[in-house]
Each structure stands twice: as structure tokens, then as C-alpha cells.
């Protein structure tokens, strides 16, 4: 079966102050795929993510989104069509939850009635009560704010979602709920997701495929079962073993 490529890195390199962040990096991410990305600190995973919505520019190579070179797309317009969720959420503290969720829609001059309807849909979609809409981020828990961040990123119905350790700052119980809810959302909306995590258990739980990186390069990529049953290097084996989920018999 042919798969439509939604995001494509083609021989991309990036260097900061003489240190290589990405080294001739090539990768295809398919339409509707949830790609989880894990690796050591400084391995290039966040650099790759930020190049998709042009927060960073490659030194060499090209990146395509749905067949178009991102260098040919206005970065502001690109970012309005790509959802972006980070660990610290980045909600506006002076805005109510309602205004935070609808913010992107106001930028594109969506009628107020449509914004209100979409916000009401989204607050239900992320399993939060509507009475929270009139509150401010400081009045919500970390897990609730993380859900608001996801709702805001979904407001414009993006086909692509970029997520940089989105659940890293919440407790374990809340994290499990967010993981389960987000996976259901991703599957129902058929979004293409680039999901960075520092937790191998999360990577294997959520990913359609798992990308393991080190020193700006791909160490291994495959389905969770492929990664667990056939780690290609000691680096991958150690990563799995450190989290007590690798079983030599599988």
C-alpha cells in the first residue's frame, strides 16, 4: 500500500557554534502517523522539530510539508496551520482559558460565534468542564493547563502537530490520562504527529513508529515491536534496559 508522505527531511544538516545538531538527516513521516522521537540531550530532536514550522532554518538540505518546501511557505502562515505543544505550555496568563483556546482563530479573523462554538467543542474534546473557560491559567492545575494547551493547538484543525515533551511536567497519574486521551484524539483526527519525549515507555506506548536519535543522526527507527524485539545497537539496548521494559526473550 502506498503511503502519503506528510513531512520529509532530505539530507538536512545544522551546526551551532561548531557543534553538529543534525548530520545529513533524512526522514519521511507519513500522513496520520504518530512518530515518537527519543534520544540523548542535544541529539538534535528539538532542532528537527523546530525546522518543520521554520522556527529554525537548516544550513543545508530541504524539508517538505505535504509536498511543499517549507522555505517557500510564509513562516507565520505555516505556524498557523501546524499545531505546537511544549512542556511549559506557553498559555497567556492574562487571558481566560476561553481566549487562550480561541487565540489562533482570532488571528485569522474567525467570526466570534464560530470561535465560541469551536472552543466549546475543544474543551469537551480534552475532557475539561466548561466552567473552566472563564478562569485563568493560574487557577488550573498543571494537567488541566496541559489539556488547554492541546485544545489551543487543535483550534485551527491542523493536519500536523508538533509536541516537545508535552507531558513531562505533570505527575504520573495525570500523564497516563493525557497519553490515553491524546492517542484517541490523534487517531480520530488522523493527525500527523512529531512527538518528542525523554521517556522510552511513553515513546513505545504512543508511537506508530519510534525514532531513536544520537549525535544528530538516526540510530534506529521502527514500530514499537520492532524496536523492542530487535534493537540494532548497544545504545538502543541500553535505552530499553534502563527503563526495565526490554526483555531479551522477545
Amino acid at each position: 500500500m502506498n503511503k502519503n508522505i506528510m513531512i520529509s527531511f532530505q539530507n538536512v544538516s545544522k551546526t551551532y557554534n561548531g557543534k553538529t545538531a543534525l548530520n545529513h538527516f533524512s526522514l519521511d513521516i507519513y500522513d496520520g502517523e504518530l512518530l515518537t522521537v527519543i534520544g540523548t540531550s542535544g541529539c538534535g530532536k528539538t532542532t528537527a522539530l523546530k525546522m518543520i514550522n521554520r522556527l529554525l532554518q537548516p544550513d543545508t538540505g530541504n524539508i517538505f510539508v505535504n509536498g511543499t518546501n517549507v522555505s517557500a511557505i510564509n513562516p507565520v502562515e505555516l505556524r498557523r496551520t501546524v499545531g505546537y505543544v511544549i512542556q511549559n505550555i506557553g498559555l497567556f496568563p492574562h487571558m481566560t482559558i476561553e481566549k487562550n483556546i480561541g487565540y489562533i482563530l482570532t488571528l485569522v479573523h474567525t467570526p466570534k460565534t464560530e470561535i465560541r462554538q469551536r472552543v466549546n467543542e475543544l474543551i469537551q474534546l480534552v475532557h475539561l468542564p466548561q466552567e473552566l473557560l472563564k478562569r485563568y491559567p493560574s487557577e488550573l492545575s498543571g494537567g488541566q493547563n496541559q489539556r488547554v494547551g492541546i485544545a489551543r493547538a487543535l483550534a485551527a484543525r491542523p493536519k500536523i502537530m508538533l509536541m516537545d515533551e508535552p507531558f513531562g511536567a505533570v505527575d504520573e497519574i495525570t500523564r497516563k490520562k493525557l497519553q490515553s486521551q491524546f492517542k484517541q484524539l490523534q487517531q480520530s483526527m488522523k493527525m500527523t504527529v512529531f512527538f518528542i519525549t525523554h521517556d522510552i515507555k511513553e515513546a513505545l506506548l504512543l508511537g506508530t513508529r519510534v525514532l531513536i536519535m544520537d549525535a544528530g543522526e538516526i540510530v534506529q527507527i521502527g514500530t514499537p515491536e520492532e524496536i523492542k524485539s530487535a534493537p540494532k545497537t548497544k545504545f538502543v539496548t541500553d535505552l530499553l534496559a534502563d527503563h526495565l521494559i526490554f526483555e531479551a526473550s522477545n
Side-chain angles (χ1 to χ4, degrees):
M1 185 188 343
N2 292 327
K3 294 181 179 179
N4 181 47
I5 296 171
M6 182 61 74
I7 302 167
S8 182
F9 290 82
Q10 298 184 3
N11 201 31
V12 172
S13 293
K14 181 70 174 179
T15 301
Y16 299 104
N17 301 318
K19 185 178 183 298
T20 299
L22 288 178
N23 185 28
H24 300 288
F25 183 82
S26 293
L27 170 71
D28 289 335
I29 304 170
Y30 301 108
D31 188 14
E33 177 174 36
L34 199 169
L35 181 75
T36 50
V37 186
I38 189 166
T40 53
S41 178
C43 70
K45 52 189 184 294
T46 296
T47 296
L49 178 145
K50 289 183 175 181
M51 286 181 177
I52 296 170
N53 65 354
R54 294 194 63 186
L55 288 172
L56 291 174
Q57 306 293 333
D59 295 334
T60 60
N62 295 287
I63 301 157
F64 293 83
V65 169
N66 203 16
T68 301
N69 194 319
V70 294
S71 65
I73 307 174
N74 180 289
V76 174
E77 295 302 318
L78 176 65
R79 289 167 202 155
R80 287 177 181 172
T81 61
V82 175
Y84 188 32
V85 183
I86 58 175
Q87 180 173 316
N88 294 319
I89 309 157
L91 298 181
F92 300 112
H94 61 287
M95 289 185 182
T96 63
I97 299 306
E98 181 176 19
K99 289 184 177 179
N100 264 287
I101 294 174
Y103 180 70
I104 295 296
L105 298 178
T106 64
L107 292 180
V108 295
H109 308 295
T110 304
K112 289 182 179 180
T113 53
E114 290 184 28
I115 294 176
R116 193 174 301 114
Q117 180 181 351
R118 181 63 175 153
V119 167
N120 286 331
E121 290 172 0
L122 288 164
I123 200 75
Q124 294 177 50
L125 199 62
V126 296
H127 303 280
L128 287 175
Q130 282 192 313
E131 55 262 30
L132 295 186
L133 290 174
K134 300 304 179 185
R135 297 188 189 177
Y136 291 85
S138 62
E139 300 177 280
L140 273 60
S141 70
Q144 288 173 328
N145 276 325
Q146 201 68 57
R147 286 182 175 88
V148 173
I150 293 171
R152 183 176 66 180
L154 292 171
R157 296 179 171 85
K159 288 294 292 177
I160 295 173
M161 180 79 82
L162 308 179
M163 308 185 79
D164 196 347
E165 298 192 17
F167 309 144
V170 297
D171 64 85
E172 189 65 22
I173 294 173
T174 302
R175 186 185 181 108
K176 286 180 179 178
K177 288 180 181 177
L178 287 170
Q179 289 169 343
S180 175
Q181 290 167 0
F182 180 72
K183 182 138 189 173
Q184 291 173 16
L185 275 174
Q186 183 268 335
Q187 291 173 342
S188 66
M189 298 178 71
K190 297 180 172 60
M191 287 185 297
T192 304
V193 181
F194 190 99
F195 187 111
I196 293 174
T197 178
H198 66 275
D199 184 345
I200 187 65
K201 291 181 288 185
E202 182 170 71
L204 294 168
L205 174 69
L206 295 181
T208 309
R209 286 189 300 162
V210 179
L211 169 64
I212 299 173
M213 294 180 63
D214 189 34
E217 298 180 351
I218 295 172
V219 176
Q220 187 170 352
I221 185 168
T223 66
E225 285 307 313
E226 288 169 345
I227 298 291
K228 286 189 285 186
S229 63
K232 287 186 175 180
T233 68
K234 185 177 184 299
F235 178 85
V236 179
T237 301
D238 290 346
L239 185 65
L240 292 165
D242 283 347
H243 292 78
L244 306 176
I245 60 171
F246 174 67
E247 298 178 7
S249 59
N250 289 344

